[in-house]
Amino acid sequence: MQIKKWHLILVLFQILSCVLIAAVLFFDPSFPYRTGAEGAMVCLIAPTATAAAVITGKLGGNEASLTSYTIISNMAAAVSIPVVFPLIEGRGDATFIQQLMVISRQVFPLLIFPFFLAWGIRLFLPKLLEIILKHCGSLAFYLWGIALMVVVGQTLRSLANSDATHATIWTLAIIGLLTCCIQFAAGKIIGGCYNDRISGGQGLGQKNTVFAIWISYTYLLPVTSIAPSSYILWQNIINSWQLWHYNKKNQKNKSY
């Protein structure tokens, strides 16, 4: 779980890509594609999902390394968002420390607390750890599947009840697709340079989209949330294809 060079490169990609778009919007308030650019910002700065390690393990990647990056990614987002996003729409009147604490409350229950809980079980309750590893090895995958059904249902409901025009919805959905494909591809390329292609792709591509939607409502216009909402569908279509392809490849190898 030590920090690796690709961790730092990916987190720089996460921050700098968002800052670049923010700089354009800050210096050009009348930018004609402002809503779409804000949607891209949210999809880029959103931290890695806690479930990314589950998919990484199923694809044969390094779960421990990705867990380390997930923590780094969430910490980077917690620090960057209160600095960058209030400059765009003028929201977030609280101080940096106050906003950092608010964001930390969103991150801690889903990431930091489970991490320390797992570390504590490994250190102080080794027998319980053996039982968990023996009987609950695939439990995280099924919990991810249940959570996915709930999140997709909420996404479709929000899209159906949205007051945005069809053109705006489709534009933001396409932006969600583009940012999703770019981040998965960039993550795989960067991770591949350090023999960690699967972990790199999941680390940069699989996002905590529920948190991204919260960012949209807190700092930007509510309509911007359509981009991360669509990202939920795109990233899980990609993950489903990767799992199907990986299992098919393994079955083919076994047949030989």
Side-chain angles (χ1 to χ4, degrees):
M1 291 189 67
Q2 60 184 327
I3 297 176
K4 299 181 180 180
K5 188 177 292 185
W6 68 264
H7 292 162
L8 303 178
I9 297 175
L10 257 62
V11 82
L12 283 175
F13 182 98
Q14 174 187 345
I15 295 173
L16 294 179
S17 59
C18 175
V19 170
L20 181 62
I21 298 175
V24 173
L25 298 180
F26 179 76
F27 290 107
D28 186 7
S30 60
F31 186 69
Y33 306 107
R34 189 176 187 86
T35 302
E38 291 181 355
M41 278 181 59
V42 175
C43 293
L44 290 167
I45 196 62
T48 305
T50 54
V54 177
I55 305 301
T56 299
K58 289 291 183 180
L59 294 174
N62 190 330
E63 294 178 77
S65 183
L66 184 61
T67 300
S68 298
Y69 176 70
T70 301
I71 296 172
I72 296 170
S73 174
N74 278 265
M75 291 175 62
V79 174
S80 302
I81 291 169
V83 175
V84 176
F85 277 70
L87 301 176
I88 305 306
E89 288 291 342
R91 298 190 180 189
D93 297 330
T95 65
F96 170 79
I97 298 298
Q98 290 173 330
Q99 294 183 65
L100 179 63
M101 294 303 296
V102 170
I103 294 175
S104 298
R105 284 198 296 269
Q106 302 292 324
V107 172
F108 183 85
L110 295 177
L111 179 68
I112 307 301
F113 176 72
F115 172 78
F116 282 111
L117 180 61
W119 176 78
I121 291 175
R122 180 180 181 181
L123 188 64
F124 300 109
L125 300 170
K127 291 185 178 180
L128 177 59
L129 177 63
E130 290 180 8
I131 295 173
I132 293 173
L133 293 176
K134 183 177 180 180
H135 300 288
C136 305
S138 299
L139 180 60
F141 178 77
Y142 295 106
L143 290 175
W144 167 77
I146 294 171
L148 176 60
M149 288 189 291
V150 174
V151 171
V152 170
Q154 291 176 332
T155 299
L156 294 175
R157 184 182 66 178
S158 65
L159 289 175
N161 296 330
S162 175
D163 295 329
T165 63
H166 292 294
T168 300
I169 291 175
W170 279 108
T171 298
L172 289 169
I174 292 172
I175 288 172
L177 174 61
L178 291 175
T179 54
C180 184
C181 292
I182 289 171
Q183 290 184 102
F184 267 105
K188 286 180 179 293
I189 292 171
I190 296 170
C193 295
Y194 298 93
N195 298 318
D196 223 340
R197 186 171 180 270
I198 299 299
S199 301
Q202 294 299 315
L204 195 59
Q206 187 168 345
K207 299 289 189 174
N208 185 345
T209 45
V210 175
F211 181 49
I213 293 170
W214 177 82
I215 296 171
S216 301
Y217 277 98
T218 303
Y219 293 97
L220 305 173
L221 299 175
V223 69
T224 310
S225 64
I226 294 174
S229 295
S230 69
Y231 199 105
I232 297 173
L233 303 177
W234 304 132
Q235 73 175 7
N236 286 295
I237 288 173
I238 292 175
N239 280 333
S240 298
W241 180 85
Q242 289 186 117
L243 289 169
W244 171 82
H245 181 72
Y246 180 78
N247 291 330
K248 184 179 179 181
K249 184 179 178 180
N250 283 347
Q251 289 175 359
K252 186 177 181 180
N253 291 336
K254 290 179 180 178
S255 65
Y256 289 111

